[in-house]
Amino acid sequence: MANQSEFLYPRSRYYGKVKPENLVFNANLQEFAQRVSYICNLETAGKLSPEESYKQIHALWKDLKRTKKQLGIGESPFQEDDENPPA
């Protein structure tokens, strides 16, 4: 039987281009999605107000954006990769 953490915080396998920054961002993205889902469920159940839900999701989004910037995801358009070979 899976432990409680795996049940509450499931992780999906990563199928993209394997680079350390991509793996870290994917883990952060999955955590973001999971936490947004919990916040939405709490708001739907009346446990959080819409305003508090918005504030929490906005803070999570800002953290995700900061992480993306720190990892340099999407910031090297001229870097060679397998998907866009040079002309």
Side-chain angles (χ1 to χ4, degrees):
M1 178 179 245
N3 68 28
Q4 183 179 8
S5 179
E6 290 173 356
F7 178 75
L8 293 174
Y9 307 106
R11 297 277 182 202
S12 296
R13 185 172 176 188
Y14 179 69
Y15 291 99
K17 185 170 182 166
V18 179
K19 293 171 31 179
E21 60 270 20
N22 290 351
L23 294 173
V24 170
F25 183 72
N26 181 262
N28 290 340
L29 185 61
Q30 287 189 47
E31 182 179 350
F32 169 81
Q34 187 68 42
R35 294 178 87 182
V36 167
S37 177
Y38 284 138
I39 292 167
C40 290
N41 290 334
L42 288 169
E43 194 276 332
T44 299
K47 304 295 182 183
L48 283 177
S49 70
E51 295 82 14
E52 182 60 29
S53 300
Y54 175 82
K55 287 178 186 177
Q56 289 185 20
I57 292 172
H58 186 71
L60 291 172
W61 177 251
K62 286 171 67 173
D63 288 343
L64 186 65
K65 280 179 63 175
R66 181 181 42 78
T67 299
K68 178 184 175 282
K69 187 173 184 172
Q70 288 175 343
L71 292 170
I73 303 292
E75 291 184 3
S76 39
F78 300 110
Q79 180 181 354
E80 284 188 35
D81 62 7
D82 297 336
E83 297 166 6
N84 300 317

